[in-house]
Amino acid sequence: MLAYRATYLTGIFNYTIQIGAYFFLWQAVYENQGRLGGMAQEEMLTYVIIAWVARSFYFNTLDRTLSDEIREGQIATELIRPYSYQWAKMARSLGEGLFRLLFFTIPGAVFIYFLHPFGGPAGWTVGVLFAISLMGSFLINSQINLLVGYLAFFTLSTSGILRAKRVVVDLLSGLLMPISFYPLWAREIIEYLPFQAITYLPNMIYLGKLEGLKAIKALALQGFWFVVLLMMSYFIWRLAVRKLTIQGG
Amino acid sequence: MVIIEAKGLTKEFKIFRRREGVVGAFRDLFTRQYQVLKAVDNIDFVVRQGELVGYIGANGAGKSTTIKMMTGILVPTSGHLQVNGFCPHRNREKYTRGIGVVFGQRSQLWWDLAVIESFRLLQRIYRVSEVDFQQRLHRFEDILDIGDYLHLPVRKLSLGQRMRCELAAALLHNPTLLFLDEPTIGLDVLAKANIRDFLKEVNQTLETTIILTTHDLGDIEALCSRVAIIDQGKMLYDGSLDQLRAHWGEDNLEEVVKDIYQGQQPPGVKGWGE
Ligand SMILES: Nc1ncnc2c1ncn2[C@@H]1O[C@H](COP(=O)(O)OP(=O)(O)OP(=O)(O)O)[C@@H](O)[C@H]1O
Ligand SMILES: [Mg+2]
């Protein structure tokens, strides 16, 4: 683990900078404004903090890992094992996510709380619903990463695609700003995409803006997207393994 | 008992040719020129339990491609292939429980974990009982001499140290069949001897069937009574080492192989390579 101390510390630094930057940005935006996009200033700041804190749990680099393994042929050493490649990768990411949750996400949230107290979830049920929706974020985000990683089966130059994916997810998930800030036509499109289920929906549950049945519906929508993406990645995997040519001796 | 049965096994690769220059790159966007390369061309191959087969051939002859098909990670273009009663790529997850694989060029241990932790993970993956695990581990420690670096992370091992650990890792679940693609590549004389002894012992005491590719004919002479030679995807020779020497009337295996790789025919033998 010692070798990763540096990664760990830069990670903390990185997140602090990100949260700090958006924090001040939104403070400036809200100058002399009451509510924007249906949110008061304090709610907005909580949104930013929760969005980034949650991201430190569900985030992973499966897309890059897969695409590298496919491009370099290292996938061969995984395919000789008696397990499913996808589920092994998901399990590994979940392990990393839980590790970060304990040693990074939660301490980070406490630390930020001391810098700037933010609102907690409105009650236990909301807290539990939010926790479940975080799991949904992880599952959906991982499946999207798997799908993007699989593109390396079809084209060996993937770095552009990986970068584009990152921008799309950051924008359409609601990480950079809540979906309610988008113009109506854009919101209508985004509602039919899986990305908002990664950040926007869980955050709305946390802020108590999706309550009771609406919150349950949001969770169901997450479940729906997970299943759809899972089927897609399963299908592409079946197709790709057939025409897979392992690179290198 | 027949362990591997291949009939007419073939693997074709489409090689896309890049055209030169900016204009070429632009044209490549729309129409891609490719040629078909038969990396493995209509091979028949039968291996029985307990055999130790040396599989040799010049660079690019098709050895690794054959191994990859037999281990279930490449789908053959055509032909029949059955190993351990399975069609390798179709029942990959079940099939791979019964085989061990070492790719000399690639590590399959977890780079950042201590060797022993990699072994523990493999124990879980292959569901090896604690008793079996301990017994095998001690045995590998003895013969392969890996006790000293079991607690080092894999990335800190030298090539030779790592290769011994790879071998141990491939055998922890006591597979009936072991595929080795250049397991002695880059090793010093002692390490090679050590690994040869180990393979011999595994083959003899556990009846593990072993398929081994190598460019070191010393490996072949030390280990294999049977040798298969592949050339440009085609099986040139499959038989005993002694017979091969007899065909060529030459005892020095290196000379024989040199002649074969240069495309020469053995003097006075009819139907060579048919
Ligand atoms: N993924 C691939 N795409 C296209 N061609 C490939 C691919 N893998 C292998 N080949 C071609 O197939 C042929 C056989 O390759 P293979 O790796 O099986 O050779 P080999 O006998 O293992 O050689 P070496 O002794 O150098 O390891 C080579 O001509 C190689 O260029
Ligand atoms: Mg090879």
Side-chain angles (χ1 to χ4, degrees):
Chain A
M1 268 312 146
L2 241 56
Y4 294 102
R5 217 158 36 179
T7 324
Y8 183 69
L9 290 177
T10 24
I12 290 183
F13 183 72
N14 222 340
Y15 271 80
T16 313
I17 297 281
Q18 295 280 3
I19 294 178
Y22 284 102
F23 189 87
F24 291 117
L25 179 82
W26 283 110
Q27 249 178 355
V29 170
Y30 268 93
E31 189 95 29
N32 303 321
Q33 303 278 347
R35 295 173 81 79
L36 287 173
M39 281 207 242
Q41 180 174 0
E42 266 319 302
E43 283 177 331
M44 190 61 224
L45 296 180
T46 303
Y47 183 99
V48 170
I49 292 166
I50 295 305
W52 282 92
V53 165
R55 183 180 186 271
S56 72
F57 163 66
Y58 68 70
F59 179 81
N60 59 53
T61 49
L62 272 181
D63 47 353
R64 175 152 304 277
T65 311
L66 256 70
S67 127
D68 287 350
E69 281 187 4
I70 295 167
R71 277 156 39 95
E72 287 155 21
Q74 189 65 25
I75 190 176
T77 62
E78 298 272 349
L79 291 180
I80 56 164
R81 302 268 177 239
Y83 49 57
S84 141
Y85 182 68
Q86 303 90 306
W87 288 110
K89 289 288 176 219
M90 292 272 285
R92 191 182 165 142
S93 297
L94 183 60
E96 288 171 1
L98 290 176
F99 175 85
R100 277 194 310 265
L101 185 71
L102 278 180
F103 295 98
F104 190 104
T105 309
I106 292 175
V110 171
F111 178 68
I112 294 168
Y113 189 83
F114 279 111
L115 289 183
H116 180 95
F118 55 89
W124 275 106
T125 27
V126 173
V128 170
L129 288 174
F130 175 69
I132 298 173
S133 73
L134 265 190
M135 198 57 208
S137 306
F138 169 80
L139 292 174
I140 293 172
N141 185 52
S142 306
Q143 283 303 323
I144 290 174
N145 283 349
L146 282 185
L147 275 170
V148 172
Y150 287 165
L151 288 177
F153 280 127
F154 305 96
T155 163
L156 290 181
S157 43
T158 50
S159 57
I161 302 174
L162 295 189
R163 237 172 296 134
K165 182 231 93 179
R166 207 171 163 148
V167 173
V168 167
V169 170
D170 283 356
L171 266 179
L172 302 187
S173 67
L175 178 71
L176 298 187
M177 64 175 166
I179 306 299
S180 55
F181 276 65
Y182 285 86
L184 192 62
W185 62 266
R187 261 183 295 176
E188 275 174 354
I189 298 173
I190 293 171
E191 265 171 30
Y192 287 99
L193 297 173
F195 306 108
Q196 58 150 355
I198 298 175
T199 298
Y200 185 64
L201 294 184
N203 270 18
M204 288 295 111
I205 291 177
Y206 184 95
L207 291 173
K209 296 194 178 271
L210 291 174
E211 279 180 302
L213 196 62
K214 278 189 190 159
I216 304 285
K217 265 191 185 161
L219 293 184
L221 187 64
Q222 281 190 322
F224 166 80
W225 277 118
F226 174 59
V227 172
V228 169
L229 293 168
L230 188 69
M231 284 183 339
M232 280 169 70
S233 72
Y234 183 74
F235 178 74
I236 292 183
W237 172 260
R238 292 292 300 261
L239 201 81
V241 158
R242 222 146 252 291
K243 53 162 280 179
L244 169 65
T245 59
I246 302 285
Q247 306 298 320
Chain B
M1 198 172 71
V2 172
I3 298 270
I4 301 180
E5 187 180 37
K7 271 209 192 83
L9 188 63
T10 300
K11 180 71 196 182
E12 293 174 353
F13 288 113
K14 274 187 188 169
I15 312 276
F16 290 99
R17 274 192 301 178
R18 296 240 162 87
R19 278 168 285 202
E20 282 174 44
V22 181
V23 179
F26 189 73
R27 283 173 61 198
D28 280 350
L29 282 178
F30 300 99
T31 55
R32 294 212 283 177
Q33 288 184 329
Y34 66 85
Q35 66 196 79
V36 173
L37 178 110
K38 285 199 173 171
V40 172
D41 190 358
N42 205 7
I43 277 183
D44 298 336
F45 199 45
V46 174
V47 178
R48 280 165 219 288
Q49 178 162 23
E51 280 193 282
L52 206 170
V53 185
Y55 191 40
I56 60 175
N59 288 131
K63 303 179 295 295
S64 298
T65 306
T66 315
I67 300 276
K68 284 172 191 163
M69 286 193 281
M70 288 181 175
T71 48
I73 59 183
L74 267 190
V75 181
T77 309
S78 63
H80 163 85
L81 178 63
Q82 195 166 23
V83 189
N84 263 351
F86 291 99
C87 166
H89 77 269
R90 210 164 287 149
N91 306 304
R92 188 182 63 78
E93 280 172 43
K94 265 204 197 122
Y95 163 68
T96 45
R97 283 201 170 277
I99 63 165
V101 187
V102 173
F103 296 114
Q105 332 246 15
R106 294 206 154 98
S107 177
Q108 12 184 332
L109 300 166
W110 286 264
W111 197 238
D112 299 308
L113 294 187
V115 176
I116 185 71
E117 286 178 90
S118 275
F119 288 177
R120 284 288 179 191
L121 254 171
L122 290 169
Q123 179 193 6
R124 287 284 184 92
I125 290 171
Y126 291 93
R127 302 195 198 108
V128 179
S129 75
E130 184 62 25
V131 180
D132 287 346
F133 179 80
Q134 289 298 346
Q135 188 224 325
R136 285 171 202 161
L137 187 64
H138 284 310
R139 193 185 166 136
F140 298 155
E141 270 177 350
D142 279 352
I143 324 179
L144 284 172
D145 220 7
I146 52 177
D148 286 344
Y149 34 86
L150 278 182
H151 293 278
L152 288 181
V154 174
R155 65 187 139 81
K156 296 209 170 147
L157 299 183
S158 82
L159 179 65
Q161 293 169 337
R162 203 199 80 214
M163 204 62 82
R164 293 179 218 202
C165 295
E166 304 265 356
L167 270 175
L171 286 164
L172 270 177
H173 55 293
N174 194 23
T176 52
L177 178 58
L178 181 61
F179 293 98
L180 306 167
D181 194 356
E182 301 193 38
T184 54
I185 187 170
L187 301 194
D188 71 38
V189 198
L190 278 181
K192 271 184 191 170
N194 186 242
I195 284 185
R196 284 173 193 162
D197 288 345
F198 176 68
L199 291 178
K200 207 178 245 168
E201 148 128 17
V202 166
N203 175 248
Q204 276 163 9
T205 56
L206 302 172
E207 280 223 359
T208 309
T209 312
I210 301 180
I211 312 290
L212 164 94
T213 84
T214 181
H215 288 296
D216 183 338
L217 298 172
D219 292 342
I220 303 287
E221 283 180 310
L223 292 171
C224 313
S225 50
R226 175 176 168 193
V227 54
I229 306 178
I230 183 173
D231 184 47
Q232 295 183 16
K234 290 204 171 67
M235 195 66 94
L236 261 191
Y237 176 84
D238 180 5
S240 77
L241 201 52
D242 295 336
Q243 175 103 56
L244 181 70
R245 288 199 182 99
H247 271 334
W248 288 81
E250 164 75 66
D251 264 355
N252 186 337
L253 190 59
E254 195 149 329
E255 292 303 321
V256 173
V257 168
K258 241 186 227 162
D259 286 348
I260 294 174
Y261 288 2
Q262 280 167 359
Q264 295 183 23
Q265 301 275 327
V269 177
K270 268 192 236 135
W272 168 260
E274 296 295 294

